[in-house]
């Protein structure tokens, strides 16, 4: 799986472009649609567009990006759903805490964490929909489920290895 990060918007959101065998998934098109569209042109055909949660900095450019490059917008993803991209698959984990609708995506050797996990930190719980107790439960779960050596791609900031 090829993973490319495009940093967009005032909050410096990581929009990820995942590609396998000419199929592309766009994750968190938060802003600067033209920047995302330009980056994805060389990668293949957009199959899906996904947001990790409902905050504007992760979905503001969704409509414009979809209109320009196509792809099916996946919403209401549930625990255990599998998303096929080329030869790869992503497994959906429901991870409430930052927001009630937060999800993460687990692949082979990598983990897209949205605003749940950051390098040396985790997402805020003081915004509407946030819940510190649920975040602690989610973080405990992820500490068991994310293998050592997995590369974590957060919604903001640098990627890092567990």
């Amino acid at each position: 799986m090829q993973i490319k990060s495009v940093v967009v918007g005032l909050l410096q959101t990581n929009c990820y472009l995942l590609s396998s065998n000419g199929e592309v998934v766009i994750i968190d098109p938060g802003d600067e649609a033209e920047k995302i569209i330009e980056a994805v042109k060389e990668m293949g055909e957009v199959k899906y567009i996904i947001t990790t949660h409902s905050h504007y900095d992760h979905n503001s450019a969704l409509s414009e990006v979809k209109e320009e490059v196509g792809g099916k917008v996946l919403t209401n993803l549930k625990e255990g759903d599998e998303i096929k991209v080329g030869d790869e698959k992503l497994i959906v984990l429901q991870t409430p805490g930052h927001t009630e609708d937060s999800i993460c995506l687990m692949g082979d050797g990598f983990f897209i964490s949205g605003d749940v996990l950051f390098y040396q930190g985790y997402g805020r719980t003081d915004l509407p929909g946030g819940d510190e107790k649920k975040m602690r439960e989610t973080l405990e779960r992820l500490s068991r489920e994310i293998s050592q050596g997995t590369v974590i791609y957060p919604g903001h900031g640098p990627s890092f290895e567990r």
Side-chain angles (χ1 to χ4, degrees), residues 125-151:
T125 59
D126 61 333
L127 300 171
D131 185 313
E132 184 67 29
K133 181 179 183 293
K134 287 182 180 177
M135 179 62 92
R136 280 193 305 271
E137 292 168 358
T138 290
L139 294 172
E140 286 174 21
R141 173 189 176 199
L142 295 180
S143 72
R144 294 186 304 271
E145 293 191 20
I146 300 174
S147 303
Q148 291 292 330
T150 298
V151 178

Side-chain angles (χ1 to χ4, degrees), residues 2 13 21 28 35 63:
Q2 178 186 1
T13 302
N21 280 354
D28 288 341
K35 192 173 179 182
S63 294

Side-chain angles (χ1 to χ4, degrees), residues 6-20:
V6 180
V7 180
V8 297
L10 291 175
L11 297 179
Q12 298 289 280
T13 302
N14 291 323
C15 171
Y16 293 106
L17 310 175
L18 282 61
S19 176
S20 174

Side-chain angles (χ1 to χ4, degrees), residues 14-90:
N14 291 323
C15 171
Y16 293 106
L17 310 175
L18 282 61
S19 176
S20 174
N21 280 354
E23 292 183 347
V24 178
V25 173
I26 299 172
I27 300 172
D28 288 341
D31 199 2
E32 299 184 78
E34 64 287 340
K35 192 173 179 182
I36 298 167
I37 292 163
E38 188 61 34
V40 80
K41 281 182 179 177
E42 303 161 5
M43 296 184 74
E45 182 178 338
V46 175
K47 186 173 183 182
Y48 299 118
I49 304 173
I50 301 169
T51 59
T52 58
H53 63 286
S54 56
H55 285 162
Y56 76 93
D57 61 315
H58 291 262
N59 64 30
S60 291
L62 191 143
S63 294
E64 191 176 344
V65 169
K66 178 177 176 28
E67 184 177 310
E68 185 67 29
V69 300
K72 181 179 180 179
V73 177
L74 297 182
T75 58
N76 301 316
L77 291 168
K78 302 294 182 218
E79 180 75 24
D81 284 351
E82 293 187 9
I83 302 161
K84 291 226 10 118
V85 185
D87 294 333
E88 306 279 342
K89 70 178 175 182
L90 303 171

